[in-house]
Amino acid sequence: MNHSLSVGMEVPPLRKGPVTHTDLVKYSGASGDFNPIHTVESFAIEVGLGGVIAHGMLTMAYVGQMLTDFAGMDADLVDFRVRFRAMVRPGDTVVCRGMVSGIKEDDSGSLVTLQVDAETQRQETVVKGTATLRYR
Amino acid sequence: MDKSIVGVWSQPVANVVERGAVRKFADAIGDPNLLYRDEEYARGTRFGRMIAPPTFCRTFDFGIIEGLDIAQEGLIHGEQSFHFERPIYVGEELWCSECLSDTYTRSGGSGKMTFLIFEQKGETKDGELVFTSRANVIRKEGPDA
């Protein structure tokens, strides 16, 4: 049971970036996603992207960090879903945000659902989704 | 796209959640959480051991779906979801597999698009389900496709 949470409560936002080319190379290596649209500028231009773009999963990981920071030692992340809506590019800053949208009590504790998103400094929503934390 | 491939699972592949790989992943996403990198600290928490960041499980090898042949080029990651029964523990071995659970084509203003929905799962050797995930991938077909 968690009594300190209420619907409408905001998760402390997490600011990440500015994203660098090196970040994208590091994420490629750490994730095994070597698609050249994330690392090879000439390739990304050739396929019409206008330059390299960040991995969607990197932005999702940023939102994940906000959620696990918020959950701390009190909760487990049980569901996490996002839709990728726009591209993040080197130089971009990403702000991850969340808001408690529902609280459901059951036998083993409470399930807290959140609306989450991430926005760049251009005020463009790059990912949008939902998450569920289980408090025991 | 040959629809007969839908629902065919890959042979599960054993993935060891390596401590170095988890730390490198946590570094790459810029997450300083000690649960991902400090064993002594993690032992003192309710987890009792180091864990991996939630999206780390996207990096597992899920095996090969027999007969599925999709060019990686031009694929757009549209949606991603994860469901966790519990955290992923550093050092554990997870058997991971995936299937194409649905595919369909839509015509829109910008041409024909093929939607591919992949589902994955990770289990322990004893068959304990640890996580499931789903990736929606979009392929823009050329005007002649």
Side-chain angles (χ1 to χ4, degrees), chain B residues 12-115:
Chain B
V13 175
N15 287 262
V16 175
V17 182
E18 288 170 16
R19 174 205 288 248
V22 169
R23 198 200 56 237
K24 226 175 250 176
F25 187 86
D27 285 347
I29 66 175
D31 189 337
N33 198 326
L34 291 178
L35 284 171
Y36 309 144
R37 55 187 94 233
D38 186 330
E39 188 160 14
E40 206 175 301
Y41 167 82
R43 254 204 304 269
T45 69
R46 74 176 168 90
F47 297 102
R49 56 203 286 196
M50 288 198 290
I51 61 171
T55 60
F56 180 77
C57 53
R58 171 84 186 170
T59 71
F60 290 145
D61 180 355
F62 290 92
I64 291 159
I65 300 169
E66 208 67 49
L68 183 71
D69 185 24
I70 295 171
Q72 289 297 301
E73 217 163 280
L75 294 184
I76 299 161
H77 198 179
E79 279 180 59
Q80 178 68 40
S81 69
F82 296 100
H83 173 78
F84 300 97
E85 296 293 329
R86 63 160 172 79
I88 313 286
Y89 296 125
V90 167
E92 75 174 327
E93 183 181 79
L94 293 177
W95 289 77
C96 301
S97 56
E98 75 174 333
C99 82
L100 177 69
S101 64
D102 197 11
T103 179
Y104 50 90
T105 302
R106 293 275 180 276
S107 298
S110 57
K112 232 166 108 179
M113 295 199 293
T114 299
F115 291 77

